[in-house]
């Protein structure tokens, strides 16, 4: 679940307006595709990001893990090139391609030099449109996935996340792991990869961005070369996820001197008018700084854990406020009590004027190194599109943060933080903590 927070955090911690303005151009291809572009000819290379909405949530339930496995096979041979031939062709061009599948999207990332752009684009087009899915490649990558799934059975964080999702989402795809289970992945075949490819990669769900040494005209032509032959439509989206998790505690027995605890409840959508107030509130409660309330109360004052945080997690079909920490088994009960108390306190009292001012200063002044360069910028742009943000968001975001008032945070605190709704999933052998209700 922490990974789900990464996109929201990346989108919000954009460069401060006072330090940098991002000039984004909307590009239309001759074939009707749309992209966002930040043009920069200082360095002769381009970063390209492509996202297809849907991701592993589009799996046939009986074929869970198919899209995730398919993502690992895209680069394992295409057209007349087998796996080795494709890798050699890519390396000869000094190009970089990566493919991945998350719960809500199928991602394609590419970087290539201007001098090799045409050849690199042709090779990438081959991978996207004519993947081979050779039987030996399917068997090899499938075993890699299975190895990871076996390791997951010994990972408390994975076990906690699985249990939380299963209880929260019922029959929705979010309720089960996008990588599938050992049983479903073992049964996947080459034919399943072909079906998964058609389900996930389609023109009706694609988002594109680029940054670097390329013009709008060149990008428009490139988009059609890469994506023009893909199916117009893919598998239907799964729809809104229910929230079925009731308040309480779930303990999963795990032989360890420490327990891993995941906790949370429903959250707030990023397009909600109260979102920026909620974002500030969560930064005060459990953001990445040592001054956050949870770090102060649970870690610094009481020494119950080494680290703890909370996150606003926005997915396509659900929103949540989540947190996680590890603690020795004899300290878990006290840590849970402190978290509940802090949840209650902020809901009832909001935050202090000093906390609001300091958090605004931090959020508007932050300039994370992850946004320094063509590849990070391209990734941010495609994320903005998928979140439905306006094209001028990087240059207006700080004003939205500054516009949040004390009245806003007081009102939204009572809406966002609901101590009576918290559920804790504890993986370990905590002392004095049992499953409830």
């Amino acid at each position: 679940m922490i990974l789900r927070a990464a996109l929201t955090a990346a989108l919000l911690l954009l460069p401060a307006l006072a330090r940098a303005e991002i000039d984004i151009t909307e590009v239309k291809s001759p074939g009707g595709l749309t992209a966002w572009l930040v043009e920069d000819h200082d360095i002769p290379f381009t970063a390209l990001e492509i996202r297809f909405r849907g991701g592993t949530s589009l799996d046939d339930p009986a074929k869970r893990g198919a899209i995730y496995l398919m993502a690992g096979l895209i680069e394992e041979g295409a057209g007349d090139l087998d796996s080795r031939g494709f890798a050699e062709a890519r390396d000869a061009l000094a190009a970089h391609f990566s493919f991945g599948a998350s719960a809500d999207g199928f991602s394609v990332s590419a970087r290539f030099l201007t001098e090799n752009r045409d050849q690199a684009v042709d090779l990438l087009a081959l991978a996207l449109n004519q993947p081979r899915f050779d039987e030996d490649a399917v068997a090899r990558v499938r075993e890699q996935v299975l190895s990871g799934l076996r390791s997951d059975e010994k990972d408390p964080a994975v076990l906690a996340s699985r249990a939380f999702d299963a209880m929260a989402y019922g029959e929705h795809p979010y309720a089960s792991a996008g990588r599938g289970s050992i049983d479903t992945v073992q049964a996947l075949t080459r034919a399943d990869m072909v079906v998964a490819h058609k389900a996930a990669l389609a023109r009706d769900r694609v988002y594109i961005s680029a940054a670097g040494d390329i013009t709008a005209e060149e990008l428009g032509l490139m988009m059609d070369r890469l994506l023009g032959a893909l199916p117009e439509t893919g598998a239907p989206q799964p729809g809104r996820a229910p929230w079925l998790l009731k308040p309480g505690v779930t303990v999963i027995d795990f032989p360890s001197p420490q327990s891993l605890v995941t906790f949370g409840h429903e959250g707030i959508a990023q397009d909600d008018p109260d979102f920026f107030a909620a974002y500030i509130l969560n930064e005060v409660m459990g953001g990445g700084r040592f001054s956050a309330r949870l770090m102060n109360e649970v870690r610094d004052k009481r020494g119950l854990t080494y680290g703890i945080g909370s996150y606003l997690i926005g997915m396509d079909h659900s929103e949540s406020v989540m947190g996680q920490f590890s603690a020795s088994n004899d300290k878990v009960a006290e840590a849970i009590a402190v978290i509940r108390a802090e949840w209650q306190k902020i809901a009832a009292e909001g935050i202090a004027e000093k906390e609001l001012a300091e958090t605004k200063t931090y959020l508007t002044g932050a300039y994370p190194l992850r946004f320094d360069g063509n590849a990070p910028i391209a990734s941010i742009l495609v994320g903005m599109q998928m979140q439905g943000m306006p094209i001028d968001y990087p240059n207006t975001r700080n004003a939205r943060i500054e516009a949040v008032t004390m009245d806003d945070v007081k009102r939204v605190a009572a809406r966002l933080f609901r101590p009576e709704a918290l559920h804790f999933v504890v993986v370990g052998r905590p002392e004095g903590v049992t499953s409830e209700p």
Side-chain angles (χ1 to χ4, degrees):
M1 286 188 174
I2 291 176
L3 292 177
R4 296 176 188 168
L7 176 59
T8 297
L11 293 172
L12 287 161
L13 293 176
L14 288 169
L17 178 60
R19 298 183 183 180
E21 289 198 12
I22 300 177
D23 184 13
I24 306 172
T25 301
E26 184 174 83
V27 178
K28 294 284 188 179
S29 79
L33 296 169
T34 301
W36 287 3
L37 167 66
V38 172
E39 193 171 340
D40 183 355
H41 301 286
D42 289 342
I43 302 175
F45 92 96
T46 299
L48 177 70
E49 292 287 334
I50 302 170
R51 298 287 187 277
F52 296 90
R53 189 182 296 279
T56 62
S57 294
L58 304 178
D59 274 334
D60 179 334
K63 304 289 185 179
R64 200 71 170 116
I67 290 174
Y68 184 87
L69 178 58
M70 182 270 293
L73 287 160
I74 290 287
E75 237 181 327
E76 296 289 333
D80 59 356
L81 298 173
D82 62 12
S83 179
R84 180 172 181 176
F86 187 93
E88 289 175 346
R90 179 201 59 216
D91 294 346
L93 296 170
H96 170 81
F97 305 145
S98 66
F99 308 88
S102 65
D104 289 328
F106 186 98
S107 64
V108 181
S109 301
R111 298 196 299 270
F112 36 79
L113 298 171
T114 301
E115 63 182 279
N116 296 332
R117 182 198 300 153
D118 288 343
Q119 301 98 307
V121 169
D122 286 343
L123 189 62
L124 180 58
L126 201 64
L128 293 176
N129 291 277
Q130 300 180 48
R132 289 166 61 113
F133 302 132
D134 291 333
E135 295 286 0
D136 61 333
V138 172
R140 182 178 64 256
V141 177
R142 180 175 55 215
E143 186 52 44
Q144 292 171 0
V145 174
L146 288 169
S147 177
L149 291 173
R150 295 183 188 107
S151 296
D152 287 348
E153 300 297 330
K154 304 174 184 179
D155 187 334
V158 173
L159 296 177
S161 178
R162 281 182 183 173
F164 196 101
D165 290 349
M167 290 185 289
Y169 297 119
E171 298 299 318
H172 194 275
Y174 288 170
S176 60
R179 292 201 293 173
S181 67
I182 290 175
D183 288 342
T184 60
V185 173
Q186 283 178 331
L188 294 174
T189 66
R190 181 187 183 280
D192 295 326
M193 298 302 95
V194 174
V195 172
H197 180 262
K198 292 179 179 178
L201 276 65
R203 289 163 54 93
D204 66 338
R205 63 201 58 207
V206 69
Y207 300 81
I208 310 158
S209 68
D213 187 25
I214 189 169
T215 66
E217 181 180 4
E218 290 166 338
L219 178 59
L221 295 173
M222 177 194 297
M223 289 191 285
D224 287 345
R225 286 168 62 190
L226 285 171
L227 308 169
L230 289 176
E232 185 61 35
T233 60
Q237 303 291 340
R240 186 71 183 170
W243 187 269
L244 305 175
L245 186 58
K246 300 183 183 300
V249 177
T250 299
V251 177
I252 299 172
D253 183 72
F254 189 83
S256 172
Q258 284 198 327
S259 291
L260 186 288
V261 183
T262 291
F263 59 94
H265 56 59
E266 282 188 279
I268 186 170
Q270 190 152 344
D271 60 359
D272 191 292
D274 287 337
F275 182 81
F276 281 96
Y279 184 73
I280 289 172
L281 284 161
N282 180 72
E283 180 63 30
V284 172
M285 172 62 87
R289 296 175 295 157
F290 280 93
S291 60
R293 289 187 179 186
L294 290 180
M295 284 290 282
N296 186 46
E297 296 294 331
V298 181
R299 178 188 185 274
D300 295 344
K301 287 185 178 181
R302 297 172 176 84
L304 302 176
T305 182
Y306 180 76
I308 183 172
S310 62
Y311 318 89
L312 297 183
I313 299 175
M315 302 179 71
D316 281 358
H317 311 293
S318 179
E319 302 82 34
S320 57
V321 186
M322 300 295 300
Q324 190 175 86
F325 70 93
S326 293
S328 60
N329 287 329
D330 62 332
K331 295 180 178 179
V332 173
E334 184 179 358
I336 289 175
V338 173
I339 292 166
R340 282 175 164 157
E342 288 303 310
W343 233 252
Q344 179 64 51
K345 180 180 178 181
I346 200 169
E349 302 174 8
I351 60 176
E353 289 189 16
K354 182 180 179 183
E355 288 177 307
L356 176 60
E358 289 178 348
T359 303
K360 284 183 177 182
T361 297
Y362 169 69
L363 293 177
T364 58
Y367 198 113
L369 293 176
R370 73 183 74 179
F371 301 106
D372 185 16
N374 289 340
I377 290 173
S379 181
I380 290 168
L381 296 190
V382 81
M384 286 171 53
Q385 293 176 70
M386 292 193 74
Q387 293 284 352
M389 293 179 174
I391 199 168
D392 66 346
Y393 177 81
N395 303 324
T396 63
R397 173 263 190 189
N398 278 354
R400 301 183 191 200
I401 292 285
E402 294 288 6
V404 175
T405 67
M406 282 296 294
D407 287 341
D408 292 331
V409 293
K410 173 69 173 177
R411 173 177 50 80
V412 177
R415 174 187 173 192
L416 179 65
F417 292 100
R418 294 183 288 125
E420 75 284 354
L422 277 170
H423 192 102
F424 295 80
V425 175
V426 185
V427 179
R429 291 177 174 172
E431 297 176 13
V433 180
T434 57
S435 294
E436 58 172 77

